[in-house]
Amino acid sequence: MITSEGGGAILRTIGSLGSLTGSRVIVRCDLNVPLTDGVITDDGRVRASLPTLQLLLDQGARVIIISHLGRPGGAPDPAYSLAPVASRLSELLDHPVGFAVDTVGPDATAKVAALDNGEVLVLENLRFNPGETSKSEAERQVFAGQLAAYAEAVVSDGFGVVHRKQASVYELEKLRPSAAGLLIAEELAVLDRLTENPERPYTVVLGGSKVSDKLGVIAHLLPRVDTLLIGGGMLFTFLAAQGHRVASSLLEAEQLDTVRGYLREAADRGVEIVLPTDIVVAASFAADAAHVVVAANAIENTEFGASGIGLDIGPDSAAEFARRIRASQTVFWNGPMGVFELPAFAMGTRTIAQALTDTPGFSVVGGGDSAAAVRQLGFGDHQFGHISTGGGASLEFLEGSSLPGLEAVGWAAPQ
Ligand code: ADP
Ligand code: MG
């Protein structure tokens, strides 16, 4: 149970729904797994949904699982069927799992009616129905109403979608007694630990492609952190804000003033913003591009001149970032340090990931590409304090935004 400072509950938990034995319960999961030719390549999200499902089964509930998969665009598309996900779920739960070939049609209706205590049914992809993601509230209401007709209670556990105002995430939860599942509660407990009284020193590592994607996060975290380490594509806008030339590296000129503002605010608050001192500069954006390591204030002084592109932080910077991460009690990392997808430019990201696994403090990885990066580089989820299942959702939370899917299950952001 997550509580506010005054001790009052600010998120409805499954326990608040009372006895669920024999009740039909819809569980909104995020089973949006990567698929290649119908084969699941990473079942992390299916695994993350198990504790809540197991809890409901142990209570003898009749469990109806709903989820989206990919972006099929509001109409059935076999490439985005949840059928393979239902089979994997059955293996992982070690329990039979039924599957309805529609979401709110005749097959779903018949199979929902036939559900017995302790049985599980997965309905077909929510996004085969235009009402799920419709911009029209009325259309979302209609679809939510059709779903609600199947159950007496709703458990919301798809953390990856709580920042979306969609029928199954928002309207549905308001039509039935509803609560947050264990995954959402766990993700929120972690995010809470990053924003309310984090253990110090608290270091945030930001990278990824664009500053503009992360402005809200920087603004919200500046008053809360001790140190901000900046890498990835966004570092060049910071270097430029300090007056350095960055050749053809990623630069968002329209953010220079905002970034200068952050540098000033950090100085006023005594927050250290640490920029790389060396950079890996490449001849072009390519896996086999020639590349050299140069000082961060001399990016244009390489043999590639003004066409050089910074694609990773240099080894000295990576070592310095790692040293600071290891000396922290709380570390939040979002955004790869370089173009990790190309092995020649993955060193910075690998070094930072390694440091997070080494730190004795609490380490959290948030962000879709960051989570993919650590797995692709061979790290295991258990080596980190936490890897968020929701990149967008966790970033919006850290921006201090109100998330519709959390609001629908009773969440009120602490003031
Ligand atoms: P996340 O999904 O973890 O929030 P982002 O989406 O912000 O991360 O950024 C991930 C992308 O940033 C990766 O595809 C990576 O290749 C890219 N990136 C990192 N460093 C650079 C760089 N120096 N230049 C261009 N792109 C970069
Ligand atoms: Mg991303």
Side-chain angles (χ1 to χ4, degrees):
M1 166 90 51
I2 295 182
T3 57
S4 67
E5 222 129 284
I10 50 174
L11 188 69
R12 293 195 299 275
T13 58
I14 294 176
S16 73
L17 297 173
S19 167
L20 294 170
T21 309
S23 298
R24 278 192 293 264
V25 181
I26 289 186
V27 189
R28 192 348 172 160
C29 294
D30 175 6
L31 303 178
N32 183 28
V33 294
L35 282 173
T36 305
D37 301 325
V39 177
I40 299 170
T41 53
D42 176 3
D43 64 5
R45 283 181 162 163
V46 186
R47 291 178 187 275
S49 68
L50 297 176
T52 292
L53 299 175
Q54 196 59 62
L55 178 75
L56 294 170
L57 289 177
D58 291 346
Q59 293 189 19
R62 306 173 184 205
V63 177
I64 301 156
I65 299 170
I66 56 174
S67 176
H68 70 291
L69 177 68
R71 296 173 184 264
D77 178 342
Y80 295 103
S81 173
L82 277 172
V85 179
S87 334
R88 175 61 61 90
L89 180 62
S90 174
E91 288 165 25
L92 293 173
L93 269 180
D94 196 16
H95 190 88
V97 171
F99 182 71
V101 299
D102 47 25
T103 321
V104 291
D107 196 40
T109 304
K111 286 178 176 156
V112 164
L115 269 182
D116 209 340
N117 296 7
E119 288 187 349
V120 189
L121 173 68
V122 174
L123 307 184
E124 184 54 288
N125 193 342
L126 288 161
R127 292 191 187 165
F128 286 1
N129 305 267
E132 169 67 357
T133 58
S134 173
K135 295 262 179 291
S136 148
E137 191 188 327
E139 281 173 32
R140 293 198 307 270
Q141 281 290 355
V142 170
F143 184 52
Q146 291 170 320
L147 290 166
Y150 287 155
E152 286 97 51
V154 177
V155 172
S156 179
D157 212 23
F159 181 71
V161 284
V162 289
H163 57 313
R164 309 266 186 226
K165 200 171 211 173
Q166 297 177 343
S168 67
V169 181
Y170 185 71
E171 280 84 8
L172 171 64
E173 279 69 9
K174 301 202 160 197
L175 292 174
R176 288 286 177 271
S178 63
L182 301 175
L183 175 62
I184 285 190
E186 185 198 341
E187 293 270 12
L188 277 184
V190 168
L191 290 171
D192 227 35
R193 221 168 134 181
L194 294 179
T195 43
E196 305 302 313
N197 307 315
E199 261 194 84
R200 299 183 177 280
Y202 179 12
T203 299
V204 169
V205 194
L206 287 179
S209 44
K210 292 159 84 186
V211 192
S212 49
D213 289 348
K214 312 279 166 81
L215 292 176
V217 183
I218 299 175
H220 195 67
L221 288 178
L222 263 185
R224 296 173 162 80
V225 305
D226 300 304
T227 308
L228 203 54
L229 309 176
I230 306 282
M234 70 165 70
L235 78 89
F236 302 100
T237 306
F238 276 83
L239 288 179
Q242 293 186 326
H244 300 302
R245 294 179 166 277
V246 298
S248 298
S249 310
L250 203 67
L251 172 68
E252 290 175 272
E254 64 287 359
Q255 303 301 345
L256 284 171
D257 282 344
T258 310
V259 167
R260 284 191 195 104
Y262 291 148
L263 290 169
R264 269 195 306 272
E265 188 190 337
D268 290 348
R269 290 184 180 278
V271 171
E272 231 187 321
I273 294 190
V274 185
L275 295 174
T277 52
D278 58 346
I279 304 289
V280 179
V281 177
S284 65
F285 197 118
D288 59 355
H291 52 275
V292 292
V293 175
V294 289
N297 58 10
I299 292 177
E300 226 162 68
N301 308 344
T302 72
E303 60 207 90
F304 318 124
S307 59
I309 312 177
L311 293 183
D312 197 7
I313 60 174
D316 290 351
S317 310
E320 174 63 12
F321 282 16
R323 190 186 65 72
R324 288 167 176 271
I325 289 167
R326 289 198 191 92
S328 302
Q329 282 306 318
T330 307
V331 185
F332 171 67
W333 174 30
N334 166 264
M337 293 293 98
V339 182
F340 74 92
E341 296 92 337
L342 307 178
F345 310 107
M347 179 279 303
T349 303
R350 181 181 295 109
T351 304
I352 268 46
Q354 181 67 51
L356 260 87
T357 68
D358 294 341
T359 182
F362 180 52
S363 63
V364 178
V365 182
D369 289 291
S370 308
V374 299
R375 294 183 181 126
Q376 187 183 315
L377 294 171
F379 294 92
D381 288 26
H382 62 276
Q383 292 179 274
F384 300 89
H386 183 76
I387 299 186
S388 178
T389 55
S394 51
L395 287 183
E396 285 201 23
F397 184 94
L398 292 175
E399 286 174 13
S401 310
S402 159
L403 311 187
L406 295 182
E407 194 199 297
V409 289
W411 173 262
Q415 293 307 303

